[in-house]
Amino acid sequence: MLKWMKNAGYSVVLVIADEFKNREAMRELRRITFAVHWTKPAYWRPTPFRTRLGKRFPGLRALLWDSAKPFLRKLRTTVPRSLTATATQSRGEEIHEYFISDKLTRTVAKLARRYRPTAVIAEYMFATPLFAVFPSETLKIVDTIDVFSLKEHQVLSFGITDFLASSEEDERRYLMKADVIVAIQSREAELLRGLVPERRVILAGVDFDVVGDEFNAGSIPDRITVVASDNPLNVHGLSGFLAECWPAIKQARPTATLHIVGLVGKMCRVEDPSIIYSGWVSDLDAVYREASVVLNPAMAGTGLKIKSVEALAHGKPLVAWSNGVDGLKYDGQAPFIECSSWTAYRDAIVRLLASEPERTALSKRALAYARREFDADSVYADLRKCLGSAKHVNVEREAIGQRELTSRA
């Protein structure tokens, strides 16, 4: 979205609240934005390495801190430190305190006065309380990315914990602070329109560069690929696949190999010479090029599944649960294979591995779908209209104000 905004001529001021300041990421963000401002998040607490002793011995602190960061990141994603229930706090109040600090509010208010933006976009609904520091004429947009009131049914019911799961009442309260609500996929757009009918709901999915027709010429026969992080949804799904599908697939296709890319492999490692584990890789294009079939094994979740979008944009035969392709609407033949049981999942993979014509046909449909649906101008068309309207309104207001000053003079 940031790249599209820059290409469309918008000047974007980005505010990041994150515990760890990645210098390489900051350089890239500064390249595609007007300005980047970084601050500590509300949940951050000083570590033992950020002390007066650490300032006196920066080399020792750097050595200890670099060793501790991976562990602390893992701890941060699994055990939120500030989300501790009290007798007087509601769930919504806990989450608010977790995300919105006084320092962040002061920082955003200062930047609002400095830049006087035409519009402000909050990433996730939990940031919408910051809209209060902007003047009424600023268009306030929330990019939802997820519908958090769906998590009880689509996440918690699978035995997966998610501390951000919210009630419809809390979600509506957050969303009502915005003027415009951006949904990431079509089904969630309809749900949000029902939840907040007083607000305008638009659709802006994910844009992706789509590969050329010749991309899949180098695929490895019988290569099955999974690309995923180590979040609980991916771990749950891949563990199920390894237990329910993989033994039968190997029996049907003895030459099959499974390539697991990403941190999910550390959480789902089994002793099997036909499974290749890769952690972080610098060139995902090479990974996808080698794949004959790509899987999204996650059975649960909300929002738009980036793993599915990425596979389609690479023109790969995709096998996924219904939840994994939720919101990817199509006409005619499906550009992917959607499954509702592990049996169907297993059979689809075996059939695709055995049939090059079916893989080729599915690959062509995937590419055609991706070129049509993931084009940036198409994805952000509604958002462009909103931002254009806001700019026009602000220009008119400035003109009216200037005429008033002239008449008084």
Side-chain angles (χ1 to χ4, degrees):
M1 183 185 287
L2 289 175
K3 289 181 179 178
W4 168 79
M5 286 182 173
K6 178 179 176 59
N7 292 335
Y10 298 105
S11 297
V12 178
V13 176
L14 183 64
V15 182
I16 301 174
D18 195 7
E19 186 169 349
F20 301 98
K21 191 173 184 178
N22 186 310
R23 292 182 179 178
E24 184 178 343
M26 292 290 283
R27 281 196 297 270
E28 174 64 14
L29 289 170
R30 288 192 175 101
R31 188 180 66 81
I32 60 175
T33 60
F34 179 78
V36 180
H37 298 270
W38 176 85
T39 185
K40 294 290 186 184
Y43 57 73
W44 183 80
R45 298 291 184 273
T47 71
F49 308 118
R50 294 190 180 276
T51 60
R52 291 181 182 177
L53 184 63
K55 291 180 180 179
R56 292 183 62 185
F57 300 98
L60 176 62
R61 182 178 69 181
L63 177 65
L64 295 173
W65 184 237
D66 287 344
S67 300
K69 274 195 290 188
F71 168 75
L72 292 172
R73 282 195 181 99
K74 181 67 177 175
L75 181 66
R76 180 48 218 100
T77 57
T78 54
V79 187
R81 281 172 291 188
S82 297
L83 279 182
T84 53
T86 67
T88 58
Q89 281 184 314
S90 69
R91 182 65 172 169
E93 289 171 333
E94 290 178 66
I95 292 176
H96 175 82
E97 288 188 3
Y98 180 71
F99 281 103
I100 307 296
S101 67
D102 291 340
K103 181 179 180 181
L104 178 60
T105 302
R106 290 194 300 270
T107 299
V108 173
K110 179 181 178 181
L111 296 175
R113 293 190 296 271
R114 180 193 303 180
Y115 293 109
R116 299 175 61 200
T118 298
V120 56
I121 302 177
E123 293 298 324
Y124 290 106
M125 68 178 191
F126 304 110
T128 58
L130 293 169
F131 287 160
V133 305
F134 291 87
S136 59
E137 61 267 23
T138 304
L139 181 67
K140 300 167 182 68
I141 304 171
V142 56
D143 188 12
T144 58
I145 303 175
D146 281 309
V147 176
F148 291 90
S149 57
L150 288 178
K151 289 183 179 289
E152 181 174 358
H153 172 66
Q154 295 185 188
V155 177
L156 305 186
S157 62
F158 288 85
I160 301 169
T161 58
D162 191 325
F163 68 92
L164 294 179
S166 303
S167 66
E168 287 189 356
E169 180 182 8
D170 280 342
E171 186 150 35
R172 174 178 162 79
R173 179 168 52 82
Y174 278 112
L175 296 177
M176 285 295 291
K177 299 178 187 297
D179 302 313
V180 177
I181 297 165
V182 180
I184 198 170
Q185 48 112 318
S186 56
R187 190 177 75 88
E188 291 188 355
E190 292 303 316
L191 292 170
L192 290 169
R193 289 185 183 105
L195 186 62
V196 280
E198 304 93 332
R199 296 292 182 262
R200 182 182 179 187
V201 177
I202 64 173
L203 182 63
V206 177
D207 63 298
F208 252 97
D209 293 331
V210 181
V211 301
D213 293 322
E214 73 287 350
F215 179 83
N216 292 309
S219 62
I220 298 174
D222 285 347
R223 170 62 57 85
I224 305 167
T225 299
V226 176
V227 180
S229 68
D230 60 348
N231 76 54
L233 300 171
N234 294 331
V235 173
H236 175 268
L238 184 55
S239 298
F241 169 79
L242 291 172
E244 302 292 338
C245 297
W246 184 235
I249 292 172
K250 287 199 301 178
Q251 185 175 1
R253 304 289 297 180
T255 58
T257 56
L258 176 63
H259 190 189
I260 300 175
V261 181
L263 295 177
V264 69
K266 292 184 177 181
M267 308 298 292
C268 302
R269 187 173 289 272
V270 297
E271 293 300 325
D272 187 331
S274 56
I275 301 179
I276 304 163
Y277 292 94
S278 300
W280 184 87
V281 297
S282 59
D283 186 7
L284 272 180
D285 281 350
V287 170
Y288 281 109
R289 184 179 291 108
E290 294 176 349
S292 290
V293 176
V294 173
L295 312 181
N296 182 351
M299 305 167 66
T302 58
L304 189 63
K305 312 309 181 295
I306 301 303
K307 292 182 292 298
S308 297
V309 171
E310 196 168 60
L312 295 173
H314 282 87
K316 285 301 174 178
L318 170 68
V319 180
W321 286 84
S322 296
N323 185 272
V325 291
D326 187 20
L328 296 175
K329 286 188 173 181
Y330 61 88
D331 295 319
Q333 287 185 289
F336 43 73
I337 294 181
E338 178 181 350
C339 302
S340 56
S341 71
W342 282 125
T343 300
Y345 206 96
R346 174 199 67 206
D347 292 347
I349 294 168
V350 171
R351 189 178 70 251
L352 283 171
L353 292 178
S355 174
E356 183 176 354
E358 185 175 357
R359 291 199 310 274
T360 301
L362 189 56
S363 176
K364 289 180 178 179
R365 295 202 298 274
L367 281 175
Y369 180 84
R371 289 182 180 127
R372 184 175 65 253
E373 298 295 331
F374 305 149
D375 174 72
D377 288 337
S378 174
V379 167
Y380 301 118
D382 287 347
L383 183 58
R384 179 192 285 274
K385 290 178 183 177
C386 280
L387 294 174
S389 299
K391 186 175 182 180
H392 177 70
V393 169
N394 275 9
V395 168
E396 281 199 346
R397 283 182 176 138
E398 289 179 7
I400 292 171
Q402 187 63 41
R403 287 199 298 271
E404 288 178 349
L405 288 173
T406 302
S407 62
R408 288 173 187 169

